[in-house]
Amino acid sequence: MIRHLFINGQWKEAARYEALYSPFSGEWIADVGYANEAETDEAIQAAQAAAPVMAQMPAHERTTILNKVAEIIEKRKEELSHLVAMEAAKPLKTARGELARTIQTYKFAAMEASRIHGETVPLDAAPGGEGRIAFTLRKPLGVIAAITPFNFPFNLVAHKVGPAIAAGNTIVLKPAGQTPLSSLILAEIFQEAGLPKGALNVIPGPGAVVGEKLVSDPRVKAVTFTGSPAVGIAMKNKAGLKRVTLELGSNSALLIDKAYEITDELISRCVLGAFSYSGQVCISIQRIFVHEQHHDDFMNRFKAQVEKLVIGDPLEESTDVSALISEKEVRRMQNWVDSAVSKGAVVITGGKELNSRLYPPTILTHVAADEPISCEEVFGPIVTVSSFTSLDQAIKDVNHSRYGLQAGIYTNDIRAAMRAAEQLEVGGVMINDFPTFRVDNMPYGGVKESGFGREGIRYAVEELTELKFISIKL
C-alpha cells in the first residue's frame, strides 16, 4: 500500500516516502509520503486559500459536515479499529473504545458549531458609556496547525480537527510518524462529508521539517500540539504571537485515603488506568499512594488482577496489553526499572522485558522520588505504589512533580476530598475515580509542564477563535 500526501483536496505524490511497520510484528504496512518544506508550504497555501470559504460557511453547514463525519466513522468503525490495532499496536477492544469516543467527539464538535456566541456588554456601567449597545462575536482565526501523537490517532486528532472546523477555521494536520494512516483515512472521510478543498490538509513528515515550518510560518495563526514537554516548550518559544495550545507530559497520581473501602471496582479501575494501551496514555496512572491501613490489602488484590492481563497480538480479541510503540521504548522501560531497583526499589510483578517489543505490566514499590520512573513521564506499563499515613503529606508528594495534568482521590471524607481538590496542583481532580477519566466534552489540560490552554470541544473552540467587540452609539 502506498499513501500520498493530502493537499488541497487531492492526493499528491510526495518527493519522499517512508516505510511504515507494525510495532507488534515488525511487518511492513505501507509506504507513506513524507512532506518536505515545499510541500508543507503548499499545504499552508491551500489552507490559507480555503480560509475565507470556511469563515463564511454558515454554522448549520459546518454542523452538517461534522455530523456526516461521525456517521461515516460509525459505519466504518470496525475497519478503522483494525487499522488502529495494526499501526499503533492498540489492542482491538481498546481501539474500538477509541473509535466510539471519536464518533462522540465529532458529534460534540457539530453541536458546538451551532452555538458559538458572544455576549452583550453593559457599557453604561461606566460613566461615558451611556447610550450605547455593545456586544461580542467570536471569529475564526484562519489557518490552524495541528500536530498529533501516536497514542490516540483518531480521537486526539478529532480533538484538534473537530473544534477547528466547528469554529470555521482551516487545518494543516501533521500526524505522528507511526500512525499516519488514520489521519489520511480521515481526510477521505471529510472529503466524503463535503468539506471544501483545502480546509483539511494532511501531511506526515519529520518534525524538524514540517513542524518547524508550521510553527514559524506567519500564515499559520494557531498551533495545537500534543506531545513531549521538550518539544512543546521549544515550539511555544518559537511561535511568537501565534495562539498555542499544548497538551504535554504527565505522571498522574492516585490517592486512596483511609476513608474508602478497597473494592473490586477500585482495583479494576486501577488496573485499567495504569495498563490500558500499555500505559501509553497521557493521564495513565503512574503513581499510586495508598493509606497504610489499606496498603497490604490493596497490593495483594492489585497484583492478582494485573497478573491476569493477557499480553499478545493487538488483533486478538482477548489481548489486553500488546507491544509498545517502538523497541526504543522497551529499552527505556528496562533501563528505568533497572535504575530504580539499583536504588532500592522492589519489583512486585513484571520488571523484565518479554522481548524487544513487549514489556509486561509492572508494579514497583519503594521507588526513590528522584528516580525517572517516579519523577518523569513513564508512558509505559509501569506503576509505582507507596503507602502514606498523612493525607496532607501525600498531597505534597503528588505535587512534588514538574507535571500537573490530572489526579484522582478515593475517599468518603468530604473534607478530605475538598482539601485534595483545592491543594492538588493539576488541571483536573477526579474524586472517587482515577486520574485517567476523560469524556470528550470536559475541559482538559494541565498546569506546570503538563501544558498550556485547554481541550474539550467547547473550550478548544474558544482557543481557536478571536473575540471581537462591537459598539453602537444610539
Side-chain angles (χ1 to χ4, degrees), residues 305-324:
Q305 284 297 319
V306 168
E307 290 179 345
K308 292 178 182 178
L309 293 171
V310 176
I311 305 170
D313 188 335
L315 291 169
E316 292 290 336
E317 296 284 351
S318 61
T319 296
D320 298 306
V321 176
S322 190
L324 291 181

Side-chain angles (χ1 to χ4, degrees), residues 68 72 99 106 135 167 173 189 202 207-208 237 247 257 298 306 308 331 346 352-353 375 385 401 411 444 451:
K68 182 66 174 174
I72 296 169
L99 265 296
Y106 282 115
F135 58 94
L173 169 63
I189 291 170
V202 182
N237 290 336
E247 198 276 280
D257 191 26
F298 173 84
V306 168
K308 292 178 182 178
R331 292 193 296 271
V346 177
K352 290 293 182 184
E353 64 185 64
C375 65
V385 180
S401 170
T411 181
Y444 179 77

Side-chain angles (χ1 to χ4, degrees), residues 12 43 108 122 147 165 210 241 247 332 355 383 403:
K12 176 181 169 59
F108 280 131
I147 302 174
I165 296 295
V210 178
L241 295 178
E247 198 276 280
R332 182 174 63 84
N355 59 40
V383 65
Y403 303 113

Side-chain angles (χ1 to χ4, degrees), residues 40-62:
T40 305
D41 184 83
E42 186 179 347
I44 296 171
Q45 178 57 42
Q48 186 184 41
V53 177
M54 286 300 296
Q56 294 165 16
M57 180 182 287
H60 69 85
E61 291 186 17
R62 301 196 303 272

Side-chain angles (χ1 to χ4, degrees), residues 89-389:
K90 179 171 285 191
L92 193 53
K93 54 191 174 185
T94 309
R96 290 190 182 111
E98 178 180 347
L99 265 296
R101 284 185 58 193
T102 302
I103 293 164
Q104 189 68 67
T105 299
Y106 282 115
K107 288 181 178 179
F108 280 131
M111 294 178 196
E112 293 303 330
S114 297
R115 57 190 184 202
I116 299 171
H117 59 82
E119 61 183 8
T120 57
V121 181
L123 295 186
D124 62 352
E130 299 90 341
R132 289 172 172 81
I133 296 174
F135 58 94
T136 61
L137 301 173
R138 286 203 166 270
K139 307 294 287 185
L141 297 177
V143 180
I144 309 299
I147 302 174
T148 57
F150 71 84
N151 58 332
F152 286 85
F154 275 108
N155 199 41
L156 286 185
V157 167
H159 271 283
K160 301 182 187 306
V161 173
I165 296 295
N169 295 295
T170 60
I171 314 103
V172 180
L173 169 63
K174 189 196 99 59
Q178 183 56 48
T179 53
L181 301 182
S182 303
S183 291
L184 291 166
I185 282 186
L186 183 68
E188 293 178 1
I189 291 170
F190 265 100
Q191 192 172 42
E192 182 182 345
L195 189 69
K197 69 176 185 177
L200 172 62
N201 306 273
V202 182
I203 50 169
V209 177
V210 178
E212 287 287 329
K213 176 66 174 173
L214 292 174
V215 171
S216 63
D217 195 293
R219 294 169 293 180
V220 175
K221 301 306 179 184
V223 178
T224 173
F225 169 81
T226 300
S228 73
V231 174
I233 292 167
M235 190 175 293
K236 188 172 186 297
N237 290 336
K238 294 174 183 177
L241 295 178
K242 286 182 175 65
R243 296 281 187 88
V244 179
T245 302
L246 303 175
E247 198 276 280
L248 306 176
S250 178
N251 55 5
S252 294
L254 175 66
L255 295 165
I256 303 173
D257 191 26
K258 64 179 178 181
Y260 201 93
E261 181 183 357
I262 303 300
T263 63
D264 290 342
E265 180 186 2
L266 184 154
I267 297 296
S268 296
R269 294 295 270 177
C270 288
V271 173
L272 178 66
F275 301 112
S276 178
Y277 191 37
S278 300
Q280 297 173 122
V281 179
C282 296
I283 42 177
S284 175
I285 302 174
Q286 184 173 325
R287 300 176 293 157
I288 300 176
F289 298 85
V290 187
H291 191 274
E292 60 181 3
Q293 178 177 308
H294 296 308
H295 179 269
D296 291 348
D297 182 31
F298 173 84
M299 187 64 83
N300 290 334
R301 294 166 70 173
F302 186 45
K303 176 178 182 288
Q305 284 297 319
V306 168
E307 290 179 345
K308 292 178 182 178
L309 293 171
V310 176
I311 305 170
D313 188 335
L315 291 169
E316 292 290 336
E317 296 284 351
S318 61
T319 296
D320 298 306
V321 176
S322 190
L324 291 181
I325 200 65
S326 70
E327 296 183 3
K328 178 181 72 174
E329 294 304 300
V330 174
R331 292 193 296 271
R332 182 174 63 84
M333 295 300 111
Q334 193 62 64
N335 289 338
W336 283 15
V337 168
D338 290 345
S339 175
V341 169
S342 73
K343 305 288 178 50
V346 177
V347 177
I348 301 302
T349 189
K352 290 293 182 184
E353 64 185 64
L354 301 177
N355 59 40
S356 63
R357 295 188 174 94
L358 291 170
Y359 202 85
T362 297
I363 306 171
L364 297 177
T365 62
H366 303 292
V367 177
D370 60 351
E371 276 297 297
I373 215 159
S374 179
C375 65
E376 300 294 335
E377 181 176 37
V378 171
F379 219 64
I382 300 171
V383 65
T384 69
V385 180
S386 306
S387 65
F388 68 87
T389 56

